[in-house]
Amino acid sequence: MASHRTSVTKGFSLIEILVVIGMLAIVGSFGLFLSMESFQHSIFKNDRDLLIDALYKARAQSVNNMCFGTCSGGQPHGVHIGNGAYTVFQGLSYTAGDPQNEVTAANPGTTVTGATDIVFDRISGITTPVTLTVTSVNGQTSTISVRTEGGIGWTQ
């Protein structure tokens, strides 16, 4: 009996490998695009939340009739929005350079329109109603409302 040997090749051809690499590149780039958008949204939300936290802190300090430094008898507290930062201050108005100011840097790609100073009355927390609009470079927006009684609300 004569034996017949057939040649069997095992492995992948160059074309098959290139097709798989191309498909992985397409899927990978799609994932990268989604994660960048998610990252930008996260930065925007973080900056909006920093402003909201500053508002809550100023209101709490006013309601608790707190006084820092050389003052006595409690002070109103507020938030100044400007110069690339959110600044919690004490007193009826913002004074740049006051050592009692608590400055939080804002993201340079985020803008806030509306009032620049929000002041909460001591003990009651009452303020002038204000609507702030926070906008990111890529067009995301959120509206923060500060109501007369000191309530703070916002949109996602």
Side-chain angles (χ1 to χ4, degrees):
M1 231 166 145
S3 82
H4 234 95
R5 290 192 141 181
T6 58
S7 170
V8 178
T9 57
K10 295 183 179 182
F12 299 105
S13 71
L14 181 60
I15 297 294
E16 291 170 326
I17 292 173
L18 290 175
V19 167
V20 170
I21 289 173
M23 289 187 334
L24 287 174
I26 291 170
V27 170
S29 66
F30 182 68
L32 180 63
F33 174 74
L34 289 179
S35 71
M36 279 304 287
E37 196 165 302
S38 175
F39 178 71
Q40 289 172 341
H41 184 67
S42 145
I43 289 172
F44 169 73
K45 284 179 62 176
N46 182 55
D47 206 49
R48 180 208 58 207
D49 292 348
L50 286 173
L51 176 55
I52 292 167
D53 288 345
L55 290 165
Y56 273 117
K57 184 172 195 166
R59 184 187 65 189
Q61 289 175 345
S62 292
V63 169
N64 289 315
N65 204 26
M66 297 178 88
C67 183
F68 303 109
T70 59
C71 65
S72 62
Q75 290 282 321
H77 291 259
V79 175
H80 173 74
I81 303 163
N83 301 324
Y86 310 128
T87 305
V88 177
F89 63 91
Q90 76 177 2
L92 291 172
S93 62
Y94 168 72
T95 304
D98 185 332
Q100 302 306 320
N101 290 347
E102 295 179 42
V103 181
T104 303
N107 179 358
T110 303
T111 58
V112 180
T113 55
T116 56
D117 291 330
I118 299 101
V119 179
F120 297 93
D121 287 345
R122 48 186 277 246
I123 302 175
S124 69
I126 292 174
T127 188
T128 304
V130 173
T131 299
L132 304 168
T133 302
V134 183
T135 308
S136 72
V137 172
N138 60 352
Q140 296 171 320
T141 62
S142 180
T143 303
I144 301 172
S145 301
V146 182
R147 296 180 290 282
T148 303
E149 77 286 353
I152 301 166
W154 62 94
T155 62
Q156 296 296 326

